[in-house]
Amino acid sequence: MTRPLKDFVLSVRNCDTKAQERDIISKESAAIRTALKDPTDKLKHRNLVKGLFIHLMGYPAHFIKSDAVKALASPRFFEKRIGYLVLSVLLGQNDDMLTLIPNSINNDLESGNNFVVALGLTGLSTIGNADMYRTLLPQLEKSLQHQHTFIRKKACLAAVRGIRLDPSFAEIFVPHISGLLSERSHAVVISATSLLETIYNVSPDMILPNSKNYVQLTARALRALLITSSSGQHDIAGITDPFLQVRLLRVLRLLCINPHQHVPQYTEIVNDVLAQVISICGASTTKFANSPNAVLYECVHTILTISTDPPLRSHALNSMMRFFTNKNNNARYVSLSLLGRIVDLDRSVVQKHRSSIINCLGDSDESIRRRAISVVSDMMDKDTLPDTFSTLLMHVSRSDSSTKREMTEAVCQICERHSPTLRWMIDAVMQILSIAGQQVPETTTSSLISTILAAPSSQHFAAQRLCTYLLILRSARAHALVKKREDPSCRFKLADDSYSLTLFTTGTTGSFSEANSTSFASLFSKSAEMGQDEFPLDLPPYFCKNGQPGVHPLLSLAAMKGVPVLESDEPILRVCVWAVGEFSEYIVTPPGTEENGVYVMEDGTEQFVPVTGSDLVDVLSALLPASIDQHTLASNHLLSEIILALAKVMSRPFADASLVSRTRSIIEPFQRHMNMFVQEVSCESNNIADQSSMLGALLKKMPPLVAKEEGRPVNMLLNRHDQSWLKSDDSDDEDEPQEMPTQTLPKTEETAEGDLLNLTALLGATTQPTQQSFADQLASILSGGAQPTAPTTQAPQMDPTEALISSIMGSSSSTPASHTPLPSNSGSTSTFQPLSSTVGPRLTQPLSLGVKGGIAIQIECQYPSFDPSNPASRSRVSCRFLFTNTTDSTISNFVLKTSGPTYLQRQNLPPSGDTLFPNSGNTIAQAVRFINTTEMQHPTIFKARIEFQRDGQAVIEDFDVNELPV
């Protein structure tokens, strides 16, 4: 005889080690097995419960399944109940033991005992699968008409479960919905609403023919709850059965919207009852109880979704303000959630509560702030954003560090989506960057840059405005540093956690009072209308009192050396530095004119500040550290962008030889920088400067960006419905630069490695000698400036891109490899021919790697500098894979992936196609470049995977490459 369940549980809990627990459970399992074999055992139900406990502890208890099935046929109710409980936990939807259960459930459903029938319906809904439901559908349908209400309720819920398993069962239960909705029992009605919603979700067309009848029955049931006196069984805080009222309101919201035309219907039937619901819940004396608030929330949501009656909608809006005045955070959160749901249906409704919603941005609860910023983002448009931008900016500045980043990104996205003009958006985003500092996400700056690139007509304004921001920022930093050096008693607050440039004095005000309480952000918030040319940025007075003779103080302070670059300055500096380098020709003032330059306000008077190319170089170079070893808070990313901006400045037409020479001298020390990326940009910039004929072509303006980052477009303004202002902000502005015509590039035949850059077409090369000269120039750039050696013997002409590839791969031979294009989808075999030379470039014969998934795989290798006596010459290799379909089915979405050890660097080039036709109809070729960094001390081995679709099924095949052909 086994011990009681309570003793067994206590013995398991008192175990000190896992081994003791296993020992006790194994002994008890053996005792349970022995006891279950005794047909006269009257404690079978206790053993089944102990077996269930063993299963919940994670130990095997499958031996009780068969006895649980036998318990279903027991005449004793408690054993039958334990049997259903055990099987609902142990059995899955595909368990073979389920085939033994339908007969027992059928007997229970036909039983004269109501409790047994209810137990059978519960067991059917918990352990039944589609086949079991199909067998027991007649009994289930019969139970929907049972004389007892709790049986009808359980049958209705079991029908919901069956429809979720197999939607084809829905048509059987549709005729019973009207009768169930007419019941007086609350339990049956709430179950009927679940059945109606489930059928509507799987097949709305089954509900539509009788939808008006269902609406009338639902409205009648809701009205009955309102006019009848509350009973103690269903009353909660003065509301009769709020759960049922909420379900009925959801059904009305579902049925009163036509699913095909998405327009309200039957509103005349429900308007009265909805008005009655909102009046009763709104007049409830327990204003902070959940029950009336829950019903009121659903009623307001229903009215704003389906009702077209203006007085009723106004009444609902006034009732919704009850949530905003509630001190409970949950109530305010659900009100914001409701506004977020209806903002797409009626934006004007949400606009009426704009001030209350924006005030929620400063709430102490983080979840409310996050929900409020989501609603604000959805409700804004180009007419309301300028009026509320200052308030949004204030909340960004006051937000704590935990939400400032998210708040900053959300407000920037609002400006990008709803700004009235591009110029307004530039000023708005720059104000946000000046306040948020290092909390600005990288996607924000990328989006601003891509937006400027997409609007050529506004690039002139963007260049001048962003240059002005850069000059003011650096001048403010320099001025504060000068004041600190002049008076040591002046305590200069320049910390990253405070973006203020305020000067604090220890004694009397003195000569520094003019700089007190001056912040960089305040310099950008004085304009009457942002984005206007005629209202330039206003300078504080102290900017006019420093500087060198003949140079405007704004420029002399911005070019001051030794001014620190804070981490909080990095986002705004990245945008400004990029604009200065990219559009420097829009900033530099031609000699003897007042074009371009920047405009500022000094003492209420507009002043023109001419800017030269030398000034731009001075300002950009002032951002660089004094030496490459000097510690700076600026990131290496910003440092590389500054160097690239200097390179672009010296590539513009206004740059003379002296400016190019001085710029190169500034960039040259950073070729020895510790960061590889900074070093690479510096070396490339200096090498490109050696090729004066190519300087402008290689550093020309960036094209518009169309990529995506983190699930949202880089250029969100391109997704706006109204894109007219992207082309021109001011149609009558004659000084606005026009979009430059795009040069049509001649088409060239695709090379074996893919002419991805098409640089020969960019420079207009047409003859073979010109192409060869261009390849020599590119090879010279990538090799550090050394000129290529002319071949001493006659050699076949090489394509320029192939010459570039050879120089990258480190080829030292003057004899180029013969060129053959990649096979297209219509080809079937490779035409590469091996070289006969033993030293120099070498192309191997194709090597078969077998057949994987019906695809024949071959590989051939090209070594740029092969020497049989030197294994290290094989450290650089370009492998080309050839894939052929040997099956009778078409293969699509073909993808090749490679992986290898850490010492093996690899680069996958684009394939020649992604479709393989049946029976070797074509061949896909794809090249992969490898560099063995150990100089072949370790072999070049790697793994490869091919993924494709055949006959609608995804196929994945792996193969190893342990030896390359030589």
Side-chain angles (χ1 to χ4, degrees):
M1 180 177 179
T2 59
R3 49 182 165 176
L5 174 65
K6 182 178 179 180
D7 296 342
F8 174 53
V9 173
L10 289 177
S11 62
V12 172
R13 293 182 61 184
N14 293 331
C15 292
D16 296 329
T17 62
K18 194 71 173 177
Q20 293 180 4
E21 179 182 291
R22 288 194 299 267
D23 182 62
I24 291 176
I25 289 179
S26 62
K27 291 181 180 179
E28 193 66 26
S29 298
I32 292 174
R33 289 191 188 95
T34 303
L36 291 177
K37 294 178 182 179
D38 186 5
T40 62
D41 184 17
K42 297 182 179 180
L43 299 176
K44 180 180 294 186
H45 63 283
R46 188 175 70 180
N47 292 324
L48 291 177
V49 173
K50 287 194 292 185
L52 180 61
F53 175 76
I54 292 174
H55 170 76
L56 296 178
M57 289 290 294
Y59 295 92
H62 55 277
F63 53 87
I64 65 173
K65 288 183 180 179
S66 58
D67 292 280
V69 173
K70 295 177 183 178
L72 298 184
S74 174
R76 291 184 288 187
F77 178 79
F78 56 87
E79 285 190 4
K80 188 184 295 291
R81 183 177 59 180
I82 294 299
Y84 278 116
L85 174 64
V86 172
L87 292 178
S88 65
V89 176
L90 294 182
L91 297 186
Q93 291 293 323
N94 300 320
D95 200 301
D96 295 337
M97 195 72 69
L98 290 175
T99 57
L100 305 176
I101 298 176
N103 189 39
S104 298
I105 296 180
N106 184 38
N107 294 334
D108 292 339
L109 294 180
E110 294 179 350
S111 173
N113 189 333
N114 295 332
F115 296 102
V116 174
V117 176
L119 193 60
L121 291 172
T122 304
L124 175 63
S125 60
T126 53
I127 63 179
N129 54 15
D131 294 334
M132 189 182 299
Y133 266 95
R134 193 172 290 107
T135 303
L136 300 174
L137 272 179
Q139 289 75 15
L140 179 58
E141 188 177 6
K142 181 180 178 181
S143 300
L144 289 173
Q145 302 173 355
H146 200 277
Q147 58 180 348
H148 290 280
T149 57
F150 74 95
I151 298 294
R152 296 197 296 271
K153 180 199 71 172
K154 287 183 175 292
C156 192
L157 296 178
V160 171
R161 174 65 185 273
I163 295 172
R164 291 175 181 174
L165 292 174
D166 190 349
S168 64
F169 298 155
E171 59 182 353
I172 298 176
F173 302 107
V174 169
H176 300 280
I177 295 179
S178 298
L180 294 172
L181 288 175
S182 304
E183 292 276 356
R184 299 183 61 183
S185 172
H186 293 191
V188 176
V189 175
I190 197 171
S191 301
T193 58
S194 298
L195 178 61
L196 191 150
E197 287 185 23
T198 303
I199 297 176
Y200 186 90
N201 292 332
V202 298
S203 180
D205 294 334
M206 294 184 182
I207 301 296
L208 289 180
N210 297 319
S211 58
K212 185 175 182 179
N213 181 36
Y214 297 149
V215 170
Q216 292 175 343
L217 293 175
T218 305
R220 183 189 305 170
L222 184 58
R223 186 178 292 106
L225 293 175
L226 298 176
I227 63 178
T228 55
S229 58
S230 301
S231 61
Q233 182 181 1
H234 302 102
D235 180 84
I236 301 177
I239 303 298
T240 304
D241 203 344
F243 298 99
L244 179 56
Q245 290 192 37
V246 168
R247 297 290 302 194
L248 293 174
L249 289 170
R250 289 181 182 177
V251 171
L252 290 178
R253 190 166 64 247
L254 192 71
L255 297 178
C256 291
I257 294 293
N258 190 300
H260 301 300
Q261 301 176 359
H262 301 284
V263 294
Q265 58 184 0
Y266 314 131
T267 55
E268 67 281 355
I269 301 176
V270 299
N271 279 344
D272 293 339
V273 67
L274 291 178
Q276 192 174 1
V277 171
I278 201 170
S279 298
I280 294 177
C281 295
S284 176
T285 57
T286 55
K287 294 184 179 180
F288 305 118
N290 287 335
S291 299
N293 287 339
V295 177
L296 181 62
Y297 170 83
E298 289 295 335
C299 186
V300 171
H301 191 188
T302 303
I303 291 173
L304 296 178
T305 303
I306 68 175
S307 178
T308 57
D309 186 15
L312 183 59
R313 293 176 66 88
S314 177
H315 188 22
L317 290 174
N318 295 332
S319 301
M320 190 175 58
M321 290 304 298
R322 169 178 182 165
F323 296 113
F324 282 110
T325 58
N326 200 324
K327 296 181 180 179
N328 188 358
N329 290 341
N330 293 332
R332 283 183 291 164
Y333 183 85
V334 297
S335 65
L336 291 172
S337 301
L338 175 59
L339 292 175
R341 292 182 180 181
I342 66 177
V343 65
D344 294 332
L345 301 175
D346 192 347
R347 190 182 300 270
S348 61
V349 171
V350 185
Q351 289 289 352
K352 294 181 180 179
H353 304 284
R354 184 174 61 192
S355 59
S356 301
I357 297 173
I358 294 179
N359 289 336
C360 291
L361 295 175
D363 196 275
S364 58
D365 190 89
E366 182 177 348
S367 60
I368 293 180
R369 293 199 302 269
R370 294 179 185 274
R371 176 61 63 181
I373 193 62
S374 176
V375 177
V376 169
S377 177
D378 293 334
M379 76 175 182
M380 283 296 173
D381 53 37
K382 65 179 181 180
D383 297 326
T384 58
L385 179 57
D387 298 333
T388 57
F389 177 71
S390 59
T391 307
L392 295 176
L393 204 62
M394 178 190 66
H395 286 294
V396 171
S397 62
R398 294 180 180 179
S399 59
D400 54 18
S401 57
S402 61
T403 57
K404 176 169 283 190
R405 184 179 182 87
E406 183 178 356
M407 184 85 70
T408 300
E409 184 175 15
V411 176
C412 287
Q413 291 181 18
I414 292 173
C415 294
E416 292 168 356
R417 291 192 184 104
H418 308 298
S419 7
T421 63
L422 173 62
R423 298 180 175 187
W424 190 96
M425 190 271 291
I426 293 175
D427 282 336
V429 174
M430 294 305 289
Q431 290 190 45
I432 299 172
L433 297 184
S434 65
I435 289 177
Q438 66 269 33
Q439 298 295 334
V440 177
E442 187 176 354
T443 54
T444 299
T445 56
S446 302
S447 180
L448 178 59
I449 290 174
S450 62
T451 302
I452 296 174
L453 289 174
S457 61
S458 297
Q459 290 174 357
H460 192 279
F461 168 84
Q464 294 181 349
R465 185 55 60 92
L466 294 177
C467 179
T468 309
Y469 289 157
L470 175 62
L471 296 178
I472 292 180
L473 172 61
R474 297 303 296 166
S475 299
R477 298 292 190 205
H479 172 78
L481 189 61
V482 168
K483 291 300 181 181
K484 181 182 178 182
R485 292 173 180 173
E486 291 178 355
D487 186 1
S489 64
C490 176
R491 187 159 49 90
F492 178 39
K493 187 176 182 181
L494 193 60
D496 286 338
D497 57 348
S498 176
Y499 205 66
S500 175
L501 294 175
T502 304
L503 292 175
F504 299 93
T505 56
T506 56
T508 59
T509 305
S511 60
F512 307 123
S513 60
E514 57 193 8
N516 284 339
S517 301
T518 300
S519 66
F520 175 57
S522 66
L523 302 178
F524 297 158
S525 58
K526 298 179 180 180
S527 57
E529 294 185 14
M530 295 188 300
Q532 300 297 325
D533 283 330
E534 57 270 15
F535 198 95
L537 299 179
D538 194 4
L539 290 180
Y542 58 82
F543 279 153
C544 308
K545 300 180 180 180
N546 298 277
Q548 303 172 0
V551 180
H552 194 276
L554 189 64
L555 293 173
S556 60
L557 286 172
M560 182 182 295
K561 301 289 185 180
V563 180
V565 177
L566 299 183
E567 185 178 357
S568 54
D569 292 343
E570 183 174 342
I572 196 169
L573 284 179
R574 287 183 59 188
V575 178
C576 294
V577 166
W578 169 82
V580 170
E582 192 73 15
F583 308 113
S584 54
E585 65 270 25
Y586 296 154
I587 304 173
V588 174
T589 305
T593 65
E594 289 192 2
E595 299 178 0
N596 300 339
V598 295
Y599 291 87
V600 294
M601 295 291 291
E602 296 180 3
D603 297 330
T605 305
E606 182 176 333
Q607 298 290 336
F608 170 72
V609 182
V611 180
T612 65
S614 180
D615 293 334
L616 292 183
V617 173
D618 292 338
V619 173
L620 292 175
S621 62
L623 297 171
L624 299 172
S627 65
I628 60 176
D629 300 326
Q630 179 179 345
H631 176 70
T632 175
L633 289 178
S635 67
N636 291 321
H637 194 181
L638 175 61
L639 187 58
S640 62
E641 290 184 355
I642 296 172
I643 295 173
L644 183 59
L646 287 169
K648 289 196 172 186
V649 169
M650 71 178 178
S651 68
R652 298 304 185 245
F654 59 79
D656 53 14
S658 60
L659 182 62
V660 173
S661 177
R662 188 162 72 92
T663 306
R664 294 188 62 183
S665 65
I666 296 173
I667 297 175
E668 192 277 333
F670 292 92
Q671 296 183 7
R672 300 180 297 277
H673 196 271
M674 293 296 294
N675 183 266
M676 183 177 65
F677 185 61
V678 175
Q679 184 183 125
E680 179 182 2
V681 173
S682 305
C683 293
E684 290 178 353
S685 300
N686 263 313
N687 291 339
I688 290 175
D690 291 334
Q691 311 294 331
S692 58
S693 60
M694 301 170 54
L695 191 58
L698 292 177
L699 295 178
K700 64 183 299 185
K701 292 180 184 178
M702 296 171 57
L705 304 179
V706 295
K708 292 184 178 181
E709 292 183 1
E710 297 185 4
R712 71 182 185 100
V714 172
N715 184 7
M716 300 183 65
L717 293 171
L718 295 181
N719 294 341
R720 292 168 56 114
H721 298 293
D722 181 14
Q723 302 180 14
S724 57
W725 58 271
L726 274 176
K727 301 177 182 178
S728 176
D729 287 335
D730 301 311
S731 58
D732 56 348
D733 191 355
E734 297 180 356
D735 298 331
E736 194 71 28
Q738 301 298 323
E739 183 177 3
M740 299 181 63
T742 305
Q743 180 183 3
T744 302
L745 303 180
K747 296 182 179 180
T748 58
E749 183 179 1
E750 186 177 1
T751 63
E753 298 293 350
D755 192 1
L756 302 179
L757 298 179
N758 201 6
L759 295 176
T760 56
L762 178 65
L763 296 181
T766 55
T767 62
Q768 186 66 28
T770 305
Q771 293 176 351
Q772 184 63 33
S773 175
F774 175 72
D776 293 340
Q777 289 177 337
L778 283 181
S780 173
I781 293 173
L782 296 172
S783 61
Q787 298 295 331
T789 305
T792 57
T793 60
Q794 183 68 23
Q797 295 292 338
M798 179 184 289
D799 183 85
T801 308
E802 193 169 298
L804 174 60
I805 294 171
S806 298
S807 65
I808 294 174
M809 298 298 291
S811 176
S812 60
S813 173
S814 61
T815 304
S818 61
H819 164 69
T820 305
L822 283 172
S824 61
N825 282 351
S826 59
S828 59
T829 58
S830 171
T831 57
F832 271 42
Q833 298 296 331
L835 297 177
S836 58
S837 59
T838 58
V839 178
R842 181 179 181 85
L843 180 64
T844 66
Q845 291 284 0
L847 175 66
S848 175
L849 299 179
V851 178
K852 293 289 184 179
I855 297 180
I857 307 174
Q858 290 183 313
I859 184 175
E860 55 187 13
C861 298
Q862 181 179 7
Y863 300 93
S865 179
F866 178 78
D867 185 357
S869 61
N870 183 16
S873 64
R874 301 195 300 271
S875 60
R876 294 174 180 263
V877 59
S878 179
C879 301
R880 195 173 72 148
F881 292 88
L882 304 174
F883 303 96
T884 306
N885 185 7
T886 61
T887 66
D888 296 332
S889 302
T890 301
I891 292 177
S892 60
N893 299 333
F894 181 87
V895 177
L896 170 66
K897 298 180 181 180
T898 59
S899 63
T902 55
Y903 62 82
L904 196 63
Q905 299 178 3
R906 62 191 184 279
Q907 178 187 9
N908 286 23
L909 298 181
S912 61
D914 63 352
T915 303
L916 287 172
F917 299 108
N919 303 320
S920 303
N922 67 320
T923 298
I924 291 180
Q926 182 170 357
V928 183
R929 296 172 181 165
F930 295 96
I931 299 179
N932 193 323
T933 58
T934 65
E935 298 293 337
M936 297 304 294
Q937 295 181 8
H938 297 285
T940 302
I941 57 176
F942 57 91
K943 295 180 178 292
R945 168 177 289 181
I946 53 175
E947 301 177 358
F948 54 90
Q949 288 190 351
R950 181 173 53 209
D951 297 333
Q953 296 183 352
V955 181
I956 299 177
E957 294 288 345
D958 297 332
F959 61 93
D960 298 337
V961 180
N962 298 322
E963 184 178 1
L964 296 179
V966 179

